[in-house]
Amino acid sequence: MIASLTGTVAHVSLDRAVVDVGGVGYLVHATPTTLAGLRVGETAGVATSMVVREDSMTLYGFGDPDERDVFEVVQTVSGVGPRLALAMLAVHTPDALRRAVAGEDLAALTRVPGIGKKGAQRIVLELGDRLGLPSGAPVADVSAGPALGAAADHSERVVEALAGLGWPAKQADDAVAKVLAEAGTDAVAADEVAGTLRSALRLLGGHRG
């Protein structure tokens, strides 16, 4: 099995990338957040999970091993295949999924396309505590001045990621501005860039102008 890849990014699209490792191009399916961190021509490393079927072998890529591990665990639930598992990680971070399952938050789980109320109940029942506990690390408090500067950098990074995924800069900028306005300055921590990207993608709804 292929647990990770490190090589030159040869291609990036909305749902997959090609990573060239020693002259061999590996097609890797991934979430928009993971793909947004890849740049064509640059060296990158991704944690991977290989799904083997009778007629295919498919690689899924992740930003870190924890994301990959969650991807593999949620597939043990009846009716959850790799595509739905990937959709869960496109909408929620691993810790957000842990909180949703631990707190039996069906509303959070049904925000994932393809998961209805019954499916969410089954996920909670079958996963139990197998995902482990969320990190629960608090976000550091910041003063208003630094927060404004951080917000500008935060916004630029997310807009750049959306543009790299194919959305027009103006449309991406408007979506990010709306997400940040609704979230307030608490959302400008560096580790919340991925969360803002997910929210902007949900707002854009997958439609490019």
Side-chain angles (χ1 to χ4, degrees):
M1 303 299 283
I2 301 173
S4 66
L5 289 175
T6 299
T8 303
V9 179
H11 174 75
V12 179
S13 64
L14 285 175
D15 62 352
R16 66 194 68 186
V18 176
V19 181
D20 188 307
V21 182
V24 178
Y26 291 86
L27 179 65
V28 180
H29 297 263
T31 66
T33 304
T34 297
L35 293 167
L38 304 179
R39 297 289 180 271
V40 173
E42 295 185 2
T43 299
V46 290
T48 59
S49 178
M50 177 179 282
V51 176
V52 180
R53 298 285 187 261
E54 288 185 5
D55 59 348
S56 66
M57 290 189 295
T58 307
L59 270 179
Y60 293 87
F62 308 93
D64 57 56
D66 183 42
E67 222 178 20
R68 177 194 60 207
D69 293 346
V70 169
F71 171 79
E72 293 176 345
V73 171
V74 297
Q75 286 182 75
T76 63
V77 175
S78 305
V80 176
R83 292 189 181 278
L84 186 54
L86 197 66
M88 292 169 71
L89 287 165
V91 174
H92 297 295
T93 64
D95 271 354
L97 279 176
R98 291 184 177 101
R99 285 192 293 270
V101 172
E104 300 185 11
D105 188 348
L106 303 185
L109 293 172
T110 55
R111 284 202 292 270
V112 178
I115 296 180
K117 184 177 180 180
K118 289 184 178 179
Q121 291 172 331
R122 185 168 60 248
I123 288 170
V124 168
L125 178 64
E126 294 189 20
L127 282 181
D129 60 357
R130 291 166 57 200
L131 286 179
L133 296 174
S135 62
V139 177
D141 213 359
V142 292
S143 63
L148 293 175
D153 179 63
H154 181 103
S155 176
E156 289 173 6
R157 290 173 62 190
V158 179
V159 169
E160 180 184 352
L162 289 169
L165 290 172
W167 276 274
K170 178 64 168 61
Q171 194 175 354
D173 190 57
D174 289 346
V176 173
K178 183 173 182 179
V179 169
L180 290 178
E182 291 175 352
T185 56
D186 285 345
V188 303
D191 60 353
E192 290 300 319
V193 169
T196 301
L197 177 58
R198 287 186 175 89
S199 297
L201 286 167
R202 285 196 292 269
L203 183 63
L204 289 166
H207 298 293
R208 298 186 298 281

